Amino acid sequence: MKRSLQAPEVEVPAAAQGLGTALAGMLLIATTYGMARFGVGLFGPAFEAERPELAGVLGWAAAAQFTSFSVAALLAARLVGPRPRWGVALAGATAAGGSLVVAFAGHPALFIAAVFLGGMGAGFASPALVRIVDAAVPASSASTAQGVVNSGTAVGVVGAGMVAFTSPGLAAAWVLMAALCVGSAAMVWLRGSRADALEASAALAGRIVAGPRRALAVPAVAAAVAGAASALVWTFGPLMVTSAGALPPEHAGWLWVALGLGGLLGVLTGALVHQLGIRLGWLSCAAALALAIGGVGLSTHGQLPALAYGGMALFGAAYMSLSGVLILWAREAWPGHGGEGTSLLFIALATGQAVGSATFGLTDLSRPGLISLAAVVICVTGGLLGLVRWR
């Protein structure tokens, strides 16, 4: 009798723990991605105004962030292994440390080094969270839970936009973001012990079956190409819009709020893939991303603020869904290696973004329409590459 009375009490905490872990993971993604990683582009107009000596290296700084993400994701796949919580600890430490240095960096070299360190946090967070969330939620809910976690980038972008409005200056904003990185990492750390235990036992039992990495070749190439196109908006979107006079610089934060609110639709990625499949889902997201880039570029010609806001919102929805498709594609193409597969595909995405940021930074941003058209063509190409079937 005592056992039967206790049985229902076990299910409620388990369900609550799964939901709590997904929400904590979303907050970690929000701080490491939406703030520490993408903060350079968000605060681009503020850096140009408050620290003009850094304005000329914003493109290189963004490229450094995307590159450091790749380095961290590669290290996470090799070093974290059966201890996902250590990936979470590294994510919080690097994102917070980099943000603190950015808060006070005035020299271009120190600034680039700081954003390089801060960008590593996102690279450590993603592969660790795939394992932690999979261990905390039932298999039937895993895709939805991963979508919730992935939407954290949108939440972070909205939060960073609000920080930009409420903080008295760059230093205060980045110090606050560093504190949020530490807090979100601590939340996930406290909930990740189950994942550590399951990963260790799975490795001993041989449950994880080796699979060919070449199964990820097509999505990796497609992700790199689409990532290069997305770098234009992530790094220079607000700067293009404000420089063209479509919006005053002090309103740039609202562009990121629009992007973040649109990105919340990324939680529907699982339903999209269920209806269309992985490849058509990828093509749909890439097409929406191209349309959004074109909208942001077009808004600079007629000085159309509504089009700028709409383009940023669509960009957020498309990009969050695109990255969500990559997570599901990795888990499907390389069964049992969701964390490692996600790392590889996100490395490809970030590599494309690094190349795109550096390349667009060398172009004449006073002609945003032409540059946006080039990014649209690149993005459509990345979408079509996802349809290639290579045996």
Side-chain angles (χ1 to χ4, degrees):
M1 180 63 68
K2 185 176 181 180
R3 291 182 179 178
S4 63
L5 289 175
Q6 290 179 336
E9 298 177 0
V10 176
E11 298 297 328
V12 175
Q17 180 179 356
L19 176 61
T21 301
L23 292 177
M26 181 186 70
L27 293 177
L28 181 61
I29 293 297
T31 55
T32 56
Y33 275 79
M35 294 183 177
R37 182 184 177 195
F38 291 129
V40 169
L42 191 158
F43 286 93
F47 279 117
E48 191 175 57
E50 293 187 32
R51 303 176 189 175
E53 66 275 14
L54 303 179
V57 297
L58 288 179
W60 291 108
Q65 277 190 316
F66 293 131
T67 302
S68 68
F69 171 89
S70 301
V71 172
L74 186 61
L75 289 174
R78 292 180 174 274
L79 299 181
V80 175
R83 293 290 182 267
R85 285 202 300 172
W86 286 108
V88 171
L90 288 170
T94 52
S99 296
L100 281 176
V101 180
V102 168
F104 304 102
H107 191 278
L110 180 61
F111 175 62
I112 292 175
V115 298
F116 184 92
L117 178 63
M120 296 184 75
F124 285 122
S126 286
L129 283 173
V130 169
R131 288 169 167 163
I132 288 173
V133 173
D134 277 349
V137 302
S140 59
S141 303
S143 296
T144 300
Q146 295 292 352
V148 170
V149 172
N150 192 57
S151 69
T153 302
V155 176
V157 168
V158 173
M162 300 311 296
V163 168
F165 281 123
T166 57
S167 296
L170 282 172
W174 283 86
V175 168
L176 175 58
M177 291 193 292
L180 293 173
C181 289
V182 172
S184 61
M187 290 175 61
V188 179
W189 171 273
L190 294 175
R191 292 181 170 273
S193 57
R194 173 178 169 81
D196 279 1
L198 289 179
E199 289 293 329
S201 63
L204 290 174
R207 176 178 61 83
I208 297 179
V209 180
R213 287 182 175 83
R214 63 178 178 272
L216 300 175
V218 168
V221 173
V225 175
S230 73
L232 178 64
V233 172
W234 277 124
T235 306
F236 300 107
L239 201 56
M240 290 194 308
V241 172
T242 56
S243 298
L247 281 175
E250 59 269 22
H251 289 177
W254 289 115
L255 291 172
W256 291 100
V257 172
L259 187 155
L261 292 176
L264 294 176
L265 295 176
V267 299
L268 302 177
T269 302
L272 177 69
V273 170
H274 179 73
Q275 292 294 325
L276 300 180
I278 289 288
R279 294 174 185 271
L280 286 180
W282 168 263
L283 179 60
S284 299
C285 294
L289 193 69
L291 183 62
I293 295 171
V296 173
L298 188 61
S299 72
T300 64
H301 273 273
Q303 296 185 353
L304 303 171
L307 186 57
Y309 288 127
M312 292 294 278
L314 179 60
F315 180 89
Y319 184 86
M320 304 312 163
S321 299
L322 193 84
S323 55
V325 171
L326 289 179
I327 294 175
L328 300 180
W329 206 338
R331 296 167 76 239
E332 178 185 278
W334 203 7
H337 291 263
E340 293 91 334
T342 299
S343 293
L344 293 175
L345 294 187
F346 277 20
I347 286 171
L349 182 67
T351 300
Q353 289 170 323
V355 173
S357 293
T359 303
F360 289 130
L362 296 174
T363 60
D364 185 5
L365 292 176
S366 64
R367 305 178 67 184
L370 184 60
I371 298 173
S372 298
L373 178 60
V376 166
V377 173
I378 295 171
C379 193
V380 171
T381 302
L384 293 174
L385 285 172
L387 300 180
V388 174
R389 296 186 179 274
W390 177 45
R391 295 184 63 183

